[in-house]
Amino acid sequence: MAVDLGDLTAFVTVARAGGFREGARGGGTSASSLSEAVRRLEARLGVRLLNRTTRSVAPTEAGARLLERLGPALGEVEAALDVVNGFRDRPAGTLRLNVPLSAARLVLPAIVPPFLAAYPEIRLEIVVEDGFVDVLAAGCDAGIRYDERLEQDMIAVPIGPRRQRFATAAAPSYLDRRGRPAHPRDLLAHDCLLGRFPSGSLTAPWEFERAGEIVRVDPSGPLIVRVGASDLIIAAAVAGTGIIHLFEDWLRPHLDSGVLEPVLEPWWQVFSGPFLYFPGRRHLPAPLRAFVDFIAARTP
């Protein structure tokens, strides 16, 4: 059965984006052309691939099965076509990275501008998503995650700071009112500000370490914020609502200005920095190879 590759690509684009307009925004085409391509594909296959409502577009069972198989296959097609990039003076094309919010906020700002300046023919697309992600199924070339969240059988390259800490802090007004914890277990008597991952689990327990002793506490408090709205939880801490536990680099400006005061600093846990990870292909797409080489040149 002969099927147009462009129609398959249009289906994958719409299914991943969750809509025709959303797919058009990211793909540099029109929603009507994507809709027509998907209609052609469905007519050719004789099966509905997408359920369409006024509010959403989602794959049918048949569409989900097709999407699952097409993602890696189209990735291989792109990799094959990318071979011609080796004959160009400079690499070109699109590089899609799937990264957590922390990396988008703390790691990439120092990397993206000089990378794009060095490779003006590369278009960089960043998908911000916390949690475990199959980068290929998500339509991305590579991802950034911390060690405990790396996918199996992936090549991992250090990116960003190699040593980071979780910091615990609160507004001086809160600590004057409620007291200053002397031990991590004291946090159980305090109002703590928590996050919730997309999976539904809380950003708890909080883990502390000093002189080889590890203490985990499961705090509670008046505010739970979905991961991704960290500015809100920081604002609540600055306002004196409770104690916050977050990346030190994220809180550093507020600690330096004095609007937040360190809590339990000798117990702040150190952890390794993030990694850029990607499938172990023999021939990496030229934009990804350029990015990997760029990162390697910056890593001490």
Side-chain angles (χ1 to χ4, degrees):
M1 180 185 296
V3 174
D4 187 272
L5 182 60
D7 292 350
L8 290 172
T9 302
F11 161 69
V12 171
T13 298
V14 173
R16 285 172 173 167
F20 292 96
R21 291 180 181 175
E22 292 79 2
R25 290 192 197 104
T29 186
S30 67
S32 60
S33 64
L34 288 176
S35 179
E36 180 59 31
V38 172
R39 276 198 295 268
R40 279 197 307 268
L41 181 61
E42 289 177 327
R44 183 63 176 157
L45 297 177
V47 64
R48 178 177 287 275
L49 300 174
L50 296 173
N51 287 319
R52 306 156 173 85
T53 70
T54 56
R55 294 187 177 183
S56 66
V57 173
T60 63
E61 183 178 357
R65 293 287 183 86
L66 180 62
L67 181 63
E68 182 182 344
R69 299 294 295 271
L70 272 180
L74 289 178
E76 288 301 318
V77 170
E78 290 181 1
L81 294 175
D82 188 69
V83 169
V84 301
N85 244 328
F87 296 91
R88 299 174 58 93
D89 293 333
R90 292 183 298 187
T94 299
L95 172 61
R96 299 179 183 88
L97 300 180
N98 188 292
V99 309
L101 180 63
S102 57
R105 182 78 176 266
L106 303 175
V107 175
L108 290 181
I111 294 173
V112 168
F115 173 73
L116 293 178
Y119 296 97
E121 295 183 39
I122 291 179
R123 179 188 183 207
L124 184 60
E125 183 177 339
I126 306 295
V127 179
V128 179
E129 189 172 12
D130 285 285
F132 294 97
V133 174
D134 182 335
V135 291
L136 292 182
C140 295
D141 301 292
I144 296 177
R145 288 298 185 274
Y146 287 86
D147 192 30
E148 74 279 5
R149 287 179 173 264
L150 289 178
E151 292 184 58
Q152 298 293 324
D153 303 321
M154 289 283 180
I155 296 174
V157 177
I159 184 173
R162 302 322 309 145
R163 179 182 180 275
Q164 293 183 278
R165 293 194 299 178
F166 276 111
T168 312
S173 60
Y174 172 88
L175 297 173
D176 290 342
R177 185 173 73 252
R178 297 289 301 274
R180 287 163 172 78
H183 190 276
R185 294 190 185 91
D186 295 341
L187 294 172
L188 297 175
H190 281 267
D191 292 334
C192 295
L193 310 177
L194 303 174
R196 188 182 297 279
F197 291 110
S199 64
S201 62
L202 292 173
T203 55
W206 292 357
E207 192 166 289
F208 299 86
E209 184 174 1
R210 185 176 70 174
E213 179 186 2
I214 296 177
V215 177
R216 297 178 180 88
V217 296
D218 199 0
S220 61
L223 178 64
I224 299 174
V225 174
R226 183 74 173 256
V227 169
S230 298
D231 288 344
L232 172 58
I233 204 169
I234 292 174
V238 170
T241 305
I243 296 177
I244 192 171
H245 185 72
L246 204 60
F247 287 94
E248 179 185 4
D249 292 340
W250 220 316
L251 297 182
R252 178 50 55 191
H254 307 285
L255 295 169
D256 290 344
S257 69
V259 297
L260 289 179
E261 178 181 322
V263 172
L264 300 169
E265 187 168 3
W267 287 89
W268 288 2
Q269 191 177 53
V270 177
F271 58 96
S272 63
F275 294 85
L276 175 74
Y277 71 100
F278 48 90
R281 296 175 179 169
R282 183 176 180 183
H283 298 291
L284 290 181
L288 178 56
R289 168 53 62 194
F291 191 70
V292 170
D293 292 343
F294 185 82
I295 295 303
R298 292 172 58 93
T299 303

